[in-house]
């Protein structure tokens, strides 16, 4: 029992969490990566030429394959106009795609062009893009 307490004290002192032996700093960095979207998030380009608010230029994309990356999503929608940001939402624990994401275009016209297409296919799946509806009460 004293050996267990000594090991616990040692782990606690060195910053190990005791459950899986990871360093607290490593866990915090991993959690931060997930919150930031990890490798599934792309940078947002700030540009004075943007047309309308971000909400007016944001596209919700459902029905994504788990293999779809932000790069794939960005490349697919760039044929309709310049994309300023692109994210795929992932599960916090597994980091697996949740099957949907968001694309923000530089202009509203690009969003309208993308929505004119009746059927969108990416990675062999029919995806479902729609103009994003901002959550009520959340302002940017």
């Amino acid at each position: 029992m004293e050996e267990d307490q000594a090991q616990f004290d040692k782990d606690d002192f060195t910053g190990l969490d005791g459950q899986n032996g990871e360093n607290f700093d490593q866990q915090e960095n991993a959690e931060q990566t997930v919150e930031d979207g990890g490798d599934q998030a792309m940078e947002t380009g700030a540009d004075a030429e943007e047309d309308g608010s971000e909400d007016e230029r944001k596209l919700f994309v459902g029905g994504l394959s788990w293999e779809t990356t932000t790069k794939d999503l960005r490349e697919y929608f760039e044929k309709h106009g310049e994309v300023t940001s692109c994210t795929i939402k992932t599960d916090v624990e597994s980091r697996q795609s949740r099957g949907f994401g968001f694309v923000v275009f530089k202009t509203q016209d690009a969003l309208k062009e993308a929505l004119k297409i009746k059927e969108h296919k990416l990675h062999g799946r029919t995806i479902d893009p729609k103009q994003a509806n901002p959550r009520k009460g959340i302002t940017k």
Side-chain angles (χ1 to χ4, degrees):
M1 187 76 160
E2 289 179 28
E3 291 175 10
D4 291 339
Q5 183 63 41
Q7 182 64 40
F8 175 78
D9 291 341
K10 179 182 174 197
D11 288 348
D12 191 42
F13 181 74
T14 59
L16 297 178
D17 75 359
Q19 291 181 350
N20 59 11
E22 288 183 344
N23 185 298
F24 283 128
D25 293 334
Q26 291 171 337
Q27 283 184 330
E28 288 173 8
N29 289 341
E31 290 168 3
Q32 183 66 36
T33 301
V34 171
E35 289 171 10
D36 292 341
D39 63 342
Q40 294 294 335
M42 299 292 283
E43 70 288 341
T44 300
D47 195 325
E49 301 281 328
E50 292 175 349
D51 174 31
S53 75
E54 183 175 303
D55 287 338
E56 294 170 337
R57 298 177 285 113
K58 186 181 277 189
L59 188 69
F60 166 85
V61 185
L64 295 175
S65 165
W66 286 358
E67 291 80 34
T68 302
T69 65
T70 53
K71 181 181 177 192
D72 300 330
L73 194 59
R74 178 181 288 269
E75 288 174 356
Y76 179 82
F77 282 103
E78 279 183 333
K79 62 186 172 190
H80 302 292
E82 186 175 341
V83 172
T84 60
S85 73
C86 181
T87 58
I88 293 177
K89 296 303 178 179
T90 58
D91 181 85
V92 175
E93 292 179 16
S94 69
R95 297 187 184 169
Q96 181 78 26
S97 169
R98 292 175 58 196
F100 71 94
F102 295 93
V103 175
V104 179
F105 289 99
K106 184 174 179 179
T107 65
Q108 290 177 334
D109 289 339
L111 176 113
K112 290 175 185 174
E113 285 298 315
L115 292 174
K116 283 182 184 177
I117 308 294
K118 293 293 181 201
E119 185 176 49
H120 293 268
K121 285 199 173 280
L122 183 60
H123 289 141
R125 294 186 62 149
T126 300
I127 59 175
D128 186 23
K130 301 174 183 171
Q131 183 155 9
N133 294 321
R135 292 182 181 175
K136 301 263 189 254
I138 298 178
T139 58
K140 285 192 172 189

